Amino acid sequence: MLKISTKGQYALLIMTELAEQNQETYIPLKLLSHRHNLSTKYLEQILIQLSKSGLVTGLRGNNGGYKLSRPAEEYTAGEILRAMEGDLNPRTITDTPAVSSVGNDDFWNEFNTVINDYVDSNTLEQIAEKNRQFNGYDYCI
């Protein structure tokens, strides 16, 4: 079944964090690493892939770090996930006619459409806004 890797999940998480920050400020890799308890090497792999896809901009040096390449409302969750995962089609393409029929093919095509429509209908700004509205958990002792 369709599974999003931890790299894909962390990519969306980090992109959301960048969306919550000042759009002109570069956020240091070490700060992002510390906030999410991730190794800097692992996080750097994710950010390099996001940078190669044009989703983030990196800057080296003392005031360096990463920031979004464009406004958060212009990104979709689907775009970010595809940058990390590739195609989100849940069906393995096969040449074997034994697993194919008109009804099954229609089902998988519609399933693929629903998944892609959903991830493409959620913007990074919408996800970041939900985070901003969250007041934390209410603990009682």
Side-chain angles (χ1 to χ4, degrees):
M1 194 44 68
L2 175 71
K3 288 190 179 187
I4 303 298
S5 71
T6 54
K7 276 189 177 180
Q9 294 173 50
Y10 282 128
L12 187 58
L13 180 67
I14 296 302
M15 292 289 288
T16 303
E17 167 123 7
L18 294 175
E20 293 172 10
Q21 307 301 316
N22 178 346
Q23 298 293 324
E24 300 305 313
T25 304
Y26 286 90
I27 309 301
L29 177 67
K30 285 186 180 183
L31 180 60
L32 292 169
S33 169
H34 178 72
R35 284 183 180 166
H36 298 286
N37 198 25
L38 295 170
S39 77
T40 53
K41 293 265 186 211
Y42 184 65
L43 187 54
E44 190 172 38
Q45 291 174 4
I46 293 169
L47 287 163
I48 286 171
Q49 198 164 344
L50 291 170
S51 181
K52 285 181 181 177
S53 298
L55 302 179
V56 298
T57 303
L59 179 67
R60 294 179 186 248
N62 278 349
N63 296 324
Y66 291 89
K67 68 176 187 173
L68 298 179
S69 298
R70 53 186 202 263
E73 59 272 4
E74 294 181 15
Y75 292 89
T76 65
E79 176 184 21
I80 296 162
L81 292 173
R82 282 186 205 93
M84 299 305 293
E85 306 290 335
D87 187 18
L88 298 179
N89 190 341
R91 184 178 183 195
T92 304
I93 304 301
T94 179
D95 292 330
T96 308
V99 295
S100 182
S101 72
V102 172
N104 281 348
D105 290 346
D106 283 351
F107 169 82
W108 289 113
N109 289 337
E110 289 173 26
F111 187 61
N112 182 47
T113 299
V114 168
I115 288 170
N116 282 287
D117 286 351
Y118 178 74
V119 297
D120 290 336
S121 70
N122 286 275
T123 67
L124 189 56
E125 179 58 31
Q126 290 169 323
I127 298 168
E129 183 58 32
K130 286 180 185 177
N131 287 344
R132 287 186 206 106
Q133 292 174 358
F134 181 68
N135 292 328
Y137 296 104
D138 195 15
Y139 291 102
C140 295
I141 297 177

